[in-house]
Amino acid sequence: YACTYNDGKGPADLDDAIEKFNDWADDQEIEDYSAWTLVPFYSSAEQEFDVLWFGAADTARALGRVQDVWLSTGSEQAAVFADVMDCDTHSAFSVLTMKEPPEREDDYNFVATFSDCSVAEGMTFDDLYGPLREWGKYKAEHGSTAGQWVFFPSFGGGNEDFDFKWVTTASSFEALGADWDQFNESGWEKANEMFRGKVSCDSSRAYVATTRRSGADDD
């Protein structure tokens, strides 16, 4: 969900709404759903929202079950969210993990980046899968602890001008900066070698991400 705060509302009101949401989810014994809020940090006027609500489950069926329960029993909690913010965009993505981030004791806050990417003419994603996996290995060998995912648009869009979103996470802005430094020093050469003529991506948007709920199977 992409959301904008209603007049007079802000992050503290959202925290209260999320607390009520988690109480509801506990009562419904929802253990296979995770959620984060993402607040724009590096962004432009095109990001016309205050906060993203990002929910996920291991399977589409599990996500659908949570949505069914929400629609049938969550009207009171939905009204609380609606009082805080207006969410005029709701979309769904299929996600492919390319590089798992290492486990951290404190993963409450982190940095997430999103880029829109298009496969070059004459290419398919099959041509990119191998290089993307190799890119993750290359980054790890050069000290990166970033997570890396591919997001394919599935529901709620229809006018996308990209083929997939390239999504990464970093434990902090310092960690993001370290990856940036390495790319500027020599990583760009490896990126050109692996991806030139195969894919093009726009500049990344970066968000401050906060964990709001962790599913039992979520690492």
Side-chain angles (χ1 to χ4, degrees):
Y1 292 92
C3 308
T4 302
Y5 288 118
N6 296 327
D7 289 344
K9 302 294 184 178
D13 303 291
L14 179 56
D15 288 343
D16 291 340
I18 290 171
E19 183 177 354
K20 292 180 174 63
F21 167 80
N22 278 319
D23 289 341
W24 166 84
D26 290 342
D27 290 342
Q28 300 298 323
E29 298 182 349
I30 293 174
E31 299 180 348
D32 50 2
Y33 175 82
S34 299
W36 302 263
T37 52
L38 279 65
V39 177
F41 188 83
Y42 288 122
S43 63
S44 71
E46 293 182 3
Q47 279 73 58
E48 297 178 346
F49 53 81
D50 296 318
V51 60
L52 295 173
W53 175 274
F54 185 82
D58 284 344
T59 67
R61 181 174 183 173
L63 180 63
R65 186 187 74 82
V66 173
Q67 292 167 335
D68 286 337
V69 176
W70 175 252
L71 291 173
S72 62
T73 69
S75 58
E76 182 178 338
Q77 289 72 29
V80 174
F81 276 113
D83 183 60
V84 174
M85 57 190 185
D86 176 46
C87 302
D88 62 0
T89 298
H90 185 201
S91 57
F93 294 82
S94 300
V95 178
L96 184 62
T97 301
M98 305 306 295
K99 177 179 178 292
E100 287 276 8
E103 291 188 11
R104 294 191 295 130
E105 290 186 7
D106 179 15
D107 60 355
Y108 181 70
N109 290 115
F110 57 96
V111 181
T113 71
F114 289 71
S115 293
D116 295 343
C117 300
S118 296
V119 179
E121 186 175 356
M123 294 284 177
T124 68
F125 187 78
D126 288 344
D127 297 306
L128 288 176
Y129 181 80
L132 287 173
R133 295 286 290 181
E134 286 300 316
W135 178 248
K137 294 178 183 178
Y138 167 82
K139 294 299 290 184
E141 291 169 357
H142 287 77
S144 175
T145 58
Q148 299 175 357
W149 295 266
V150 170
F151 281 38
F152 297 105
S154 299
F155 297 104
N159 294 313
E160 294 89 358
D161 57 0
F162 59 89
D163 294 317
F164 64 89
K165 288 183 180 288
W166 177 246
V167 179
T168 71
T169 60
S171 59
S172 64
F173 279 104
E174 181 177 3
L176 179 66
D179 283 353
W180 192 358
D181 285 338
Q182 192 278 327
F183 183 86
N184 287 335
E185 290 166 1
S186 60
W188 63 271
E189 294 178 308
K190 186 66 173 180
N192 284 345
E193 173 189 325
M194 299 175 72
F195 301 116
R196 178 176 285 170
K198 296 180 180 179
V199 65
S200 60
C201 300
D202 64 8
S203 59
S204 296
R205 282 76 63 199
Y207 303 86
V208 176
T210 302
T211 302
R212 300 298 190 163
R213 186 172 185 84
S214 294
D217 295 331
D218 185 68
D219 292 332

